[in-house]
Amino acid sequence: MARQVSGVSFSESKARSTAWAVTFGDMVTLLLTFFILVIVMMNEAETHIDRIINMLLDETYMELSNALQSDTIVVDRVTKGVKITMASGQLFSSGNAELRQDVIPTLRQIAGLIGNSRIARLRDDPEFKPFVEAIEQSERVLNMEIRTEGHTDNVPLPPELISKWESNWELSTARALNVVELLSQFSALSQDKFSAMGYGEYRPLDRNDSSERRARNRRVEIYIDAFVTSTP
């Protein structure tokens, strides 16, 4: 008996040979959709984290601004967190980096407010402890930074101070370091949260063309900020 051979047209043969491409294309589309959803979820999670951090910084700003109402201390809510500005003349004598004794209680108060703020004690807060743990479970960590920045005017140091400070840059750094050391001591927070830097005359608030404007440029700024980073 003769074998029957079914006839297959060229178009049918081509359709069969390319059928796998349709399946593969569907799979790629599904994978792409999945990854887009993951990215959207991650972005939403980041937005949620940023929203909570900003809410905590707003709360810290309100606490500090209410407690530190003074003509010599200015508290601002800025992009880099919360900023406390103090005039250098209030903190130091001219050309010196040693803090005046009468300003120590004020720095103790500032350190206490920072150390007892909710953003500094999130792990001990029942409301926010799950938030911190969720971040850590994603192999990240919530960091808090207290950074002190020193600034001077553009008047060169007198010859008698050159042997002590090579430049305004060095003087501003020493001042920032002395402030941040006291904040660390009084707040009882871990030292890895603190940093200090000096900018000398290079980040003025105003022109250095009058005694009043130069006095405004001579300052120490304390920043309180929080952010999430990957676990090392």
Side-chain angles (χ1 to χ4, degrees):
M1 180 176 179
R3 186 177 56 172
Q4 183 177 359
V5 179
S6 60
V8 178
S9 67
F10 175 76
S11 59
E12 289 176 323
S13 176
K14 182 178 180 182
R16 290 181 182 180
S17 65
T18 58
W20 67 270
V22 176
T23 303
F24 180 77
D26 290 341
M27 182 182 68
V28 170
T29 301
L30 288 173
L31 284 173
L32 180 60
T33 303
F34 170 75
F35 285 122
I36 290 173
L37 287 173
V38 169
I39 291 171
V40 169
M41 291 173 63
M42 289 175 62
N43 288 338
E44 288 181 352
E46 291 298 327
T47 300
H48 183 61
I49 290 171
D50 290 342
R51 188 182 299 116
I52 292 177
I53 290 175
N54 277 301
M55 180 191 70
L56 292 165
L57 288 170
D58 288 341
E59 180 180 293
T60 304
Y61 163 71
M62 293 301 299
E63 291 174 352
L64 290 169
S65 60
N66 290 333
L68 300 173
Q69 294 181 0
S70 168
D71 295 335
T72 57
I73 302 175
V74 178
V75 183
D76 294 304
R77 180 67 168 93
V78 295
T79 304
K80 293 192 291 184
V82 180
K83 180 176 72 170
I84 304 170
T85 304
M86 304 179 70
S88 290
Q90 176 191 5
L91 298 168
F92 314 97
S93 58
S94 180
N96 204 326
E98 297 301 318
L99 286 156
R100 297 180 185 271
Q101 289 302 306
D102 58 355
V103 82
I104 302 299
T106 301
L107 291 175
R108 186 188 297 273
Q109 180 190 14
I110 293 172
L113 290 167
I114 295 173
N116 292 315
S117 64
R118 180 181 288 193
I119 198 168
R121 304 291 181 184
L122 282 185
R123 184 171 289 280
D124 301 326
D125 191 314
E127 182 180 354
F128 286 96
K129 186 176 180 180
F131 170 68
V132 177
E133 292 176 344
I135 291 175
E136 293 175 348
Q137 287 171 5
S138 64
E139 297 185 349
R140 293 180 296 175
V141 61
L142 178 62
N143 299 283
M144 181 184 183
E145 181 184 33
I146 300 102
R147 184 178 65 260
T148 302
E149 299 181 358
H151 303 267
T152 68
D153 57 27
N154 67 342
V155 177
L157 294 173
E160 60 270 20
L161 291 179
I162 294 298
S163 60
K164 190 173 185 179
W165 316 110
E166 292 186 2
S167 64
N168 282 325
W169 208 344
E170 188 174 322
L171 173 61
S172 66
T173 303
R175 287 176 168 178
L177 183 60
N178 285 341
V179 171
V180 84
E181 285 179 341
L182 276 187
L183 293 177
S184 173
Q185 175 186 338
F186 292 149
S187 68
L189 296 174
S190 59
Q191 291 187 342
D192 61 355
K193 290 180 168 59
F194 295 86
S195 62
M197 58 184 65
Y199 290 105
E201 64 212 62
Y202 300 108
R203 294 199 179 181
L205 293 175
D206 209 339
R207 297 191 302 272
N208 285 292
D209 57 3
S210 70
S211 58
E212 292 79 9
R213 287 173 173 171
R214 283 192 293 270
R216 186 165 179 259
N217 290 331
R218 296 190 299 269
R219 68 201 189 276
V220 170
E221 296 172 342
I222 303 166
Y223 288 90
I224 302 103
D225 198 7
F227 47 89
V228 173
T229 58
S230 299
T231 304

